[in-house]
Amino acid sequence: MNELPLHGITVVDLTRVLAGPFCTQTLGDMGARIIKVEQPGVGDDARAIGPFLGDASAYFMSVNRNKESIALDLKAEGDRAVFERLLERADVLVENYRPGTMEKLGYGWEQLQARYPRLVMVSISGFGQTGPYRSQPAYDMVVQAMSGMMSVTGHPDAGPCRVGVSIGDLGAGLYAVVGTQSALLRRARTGKGERVDVSMLDCQVALLENAVARYGATGSVPGPIGSRHPSMTPFDVYAAEDGYLVIAVGNDGLFKRLCELLGLPGLVDDDRFRTNASRCAHEAALKRMLEDKLRGHSRAHWLKLLQDNGIPTGEYHSVSEVVEHPQIQARGMLAEVLTPSGESLGVAGNPLMAGGGKQVVRRQPPALDGDRMRILEELGLAHAPGEGD
């Protein structure tokens, strides 16, 4: 009864850097066994990306817990034999090479499907396996720009701005997790594996739900509007006497209550603010009036008053404040991983496990090729085919 939901699922992980490793780490957090296949000598590119804790990359460690590592050269006959032995036992293969690379290696979907009919193959790429851009390389910044995500991020007249995290990679990684589990559910019914094709660009467009719908409904092109919501007001970051807080009012009833609590009951009867639509049309004027009042007391004063009276609000946090926040700690959203030399690094946890009493880190981020001998022994190989006598 204590088994994690993906216990018993084996994933062969050919991914590197962020989108793919984030996908496989999430699968590993939920109980799957992740066997990370890396390039001999250098490993995942992320191992060379800082910041570093001793000789270990914090970037790599943040997305590679709960994995084993074996280094294989998929162009070398002996290592290919080991890889194919792994595929015989695997439920899922995840890769994020440029489309066409797996086919050149002899491991394209049609070839794998014929040899391993129950295998689920998950392919993450910049633009997907089809379309005129399929062969183009991409990083997070490329798809943020091309998808329109950057066009609705930041402040007016401030120039293009990326989202503050690598949402192009992270979004693709999460959609890949959903696709993997969906394919496994279907296999449970049909007995057959399938190909999951995840495009980073597609995933960014999917995350533009509100912007695309607004363009479809109005014909106007959405642009950057800072922190406020495009369709609800007041719904923004506001300045108090000693810091910032967020106030998010989603209906007329909440707005009336907010005005009463702030001692501004006359705003409710002001034609500019009587309805949500009119408040959106006069958002700047309303924000000035609210901040004139909010600057009269501390952030703590307003947070207590508003939260105690059912107004959705929250403090604006830096990352250092987030990791110390009691709600984040209570929900288990912080994890600790260790470098191969034993140094500790705090990383983000897994929200799917939070509060469930599960241990998120069951295996530390692996050293390159650190599990080779054990994996080979498990496969019945004293050494890799082609090695030794």
Side-chain angles (χ1 to χ4, degrees):
M1 291 180 65
N2 292 324
E3 289 180 351
L4 291 167
L6 295 183
H7 176 79
I9 297 295
T10 297
V11 178
V12 173
D13 178 7
L14 282 178
T15 69
R16 61 219 185 279
V17 189
L18 185 51
F22 187 68
C23 164
T24 54
Q25 175 174 273
T26 304
L27 296 172
D29 287 351
M30 294 190 290
R33 180 187 183 187
I34 312 297
I35 301 176
K36 186 176 181 71
V37 177
E38 302 189 67
Q39 183 180 352
V42 294
D44 185 334
D45 295 349
R47 291 185 182 272
I49 300 175
F52 292 92
L53 194 62
D55 294 331
S57 163
Y59 187 109
F60 175 86
M61 292 175 64
S62 70
V63 288
N64 282 286
R65 62 177 174 254
N66 296 328
K67 301 181 185 181
E68 305 163 47
S69 172
I70 184 170
L72 299 174
D73 179 354
L74 297 188
K75 296 180 180 178
E77 181 178 351
D79 283 0
R80 287 172 65 89
V82 175
F83 180 65
E84 290 165 14
R85 190 74 68 89
L86 287 173
L87 292 181
E88 290 173 1
R89 300 184 174 204
D91 298 283
V92 180
L93 170 66
V94 186
E95 58 91 12
N96 64 347
Y97 290 113
R98 200 181 305 186
T101 300
M102 292 296 288
E103 285 76 7
K104 291 178 182 177
L105 290 170
Y107 299 119
W109 169 238
E110 292 183 359
Q111 296 152 304
L112 292 176
Q113 187 180 37
R115 293 185 62 180
Y116 315 104
R118 289 180 53 82
L119 183 70
V120 170
M121 181 181 188
V122 181
S123 296
I124 306 170
S125 61
F127 302 101
Q129 302 299 310
T130 59
Y133 274 70
R134 68 180 294 270
S135 63
Q136 296 296 314
Y139 279 101
D140 171 82
M141 183 75 117
V142 174
V143 298
Q144 281 204 39
M146 291 185 63
S147 67
M149 184 65 71
M150 288 174 64
S151 77
V152 295
T153 302
H155 290 270
D157 303 319
C161 181
R162 71 183 288 271
V163 176
V165 297
S166 297
I167 194 171
D169 284 298
L170 300 177
L174 290 175
Y175 274 110
V177 170
V178 174
T180 300
Q181 294 181 101
S182 298
L184 288 171
L185 284 171
R186 184 173 181 179
R187 189 187 71 174
R189 296 194 302 268
T190 67
K192 296 180 180 180
E194 64 179 283
R195 177 78 170 279
V196 179
D197 174 9
V198 179
S199 154
M200 292 171 64
L201 181 63
D202 291 355
C203 294
Q204 289 305 282
V205 173
L207 294 175
L208 284 176
E209 37 70 57
N210 185 277
V212 172
R214 277 187 288 135
Y215 174 67
T218 68
S220 61
V221 180
I225 56 173
S227 301
R228 70 180 179 90
H229 195 282
S231 306
M232 288 185 281
T233 301
F235 209 104
D236 202 346
V237 179
Y238 298 90
E241 181 182 51
D242 59 350
Y244 294 99
L245 71 158
V246 166
I247 298 174
V249 169
N251 58 58
D252 293 340
L254 279 176
F255 180 64
K256 180 179 180 181
R257 190 184 311 166
L258 172 68
C259 292
E260 292 170 350
L261 292 169
L262 296 182
L264 297 170
L267 293 185
V268 177
D269 298 320
D270 189 317
D271 287 341
R272 294 174 297 171
F273 313 131
R274 194 181 300 276
T275 67
N276 180 65
S278 62
R279 291 193 295 274
C280 287
H282 298 92
E283 179 275 334
L286 179 58
K287 183 169 185 175
R288 285 194 299 270
M289 293 179 184
L290 294 178
E291 287 193 325
D292 284 346
K293 187 70 174 184
L294 292 167
R295 286 193 174 100
H297 287 285
S298 69
R299 184 174 71 167
H301 168 84
W302 294 120
L303 286 169
K304 178 170 175 51
L305 177 65
L306 299 182
Q307 289 174 346
D308 286 352
N309 287 276
I311 302 295
T313 185
E315 54 266 56
Y316 164 85
H317 281 150
S318 66
V319 174
S320 62
E321 291 170 323
V322 169
V323 299
E324 298 296 333
H325 197 278
Q327 178 67 15
I328 299 303
Q329 295 185 354
R331 293 285 294 170
M333 273 308 301
L334 301 173
E336 181 180 295
V337 293
L338 301 176
T339 69
S341 61
E343 295 173 275
S344 174
L345 176 68
V347 296
N350 186 331
L352 299 176
M353 298 294 105
K358 306 295 186 183
Q359 182 179 357
V360 173
V361 182
R362 302 182 310 283
R363 178 182 288 273
Q364 300 301 331
L368 175 59
D369 209 25
D371 300 283
R372 182 180 191 82
M373 293 310 301
R374 184 175 51 76
I375 291 172
L376 293 180
E377 290 174 1
E378 182 181 330
L379 295 175
L381 302 170
H383 48 69
E387 292 182 357
D389 297 327

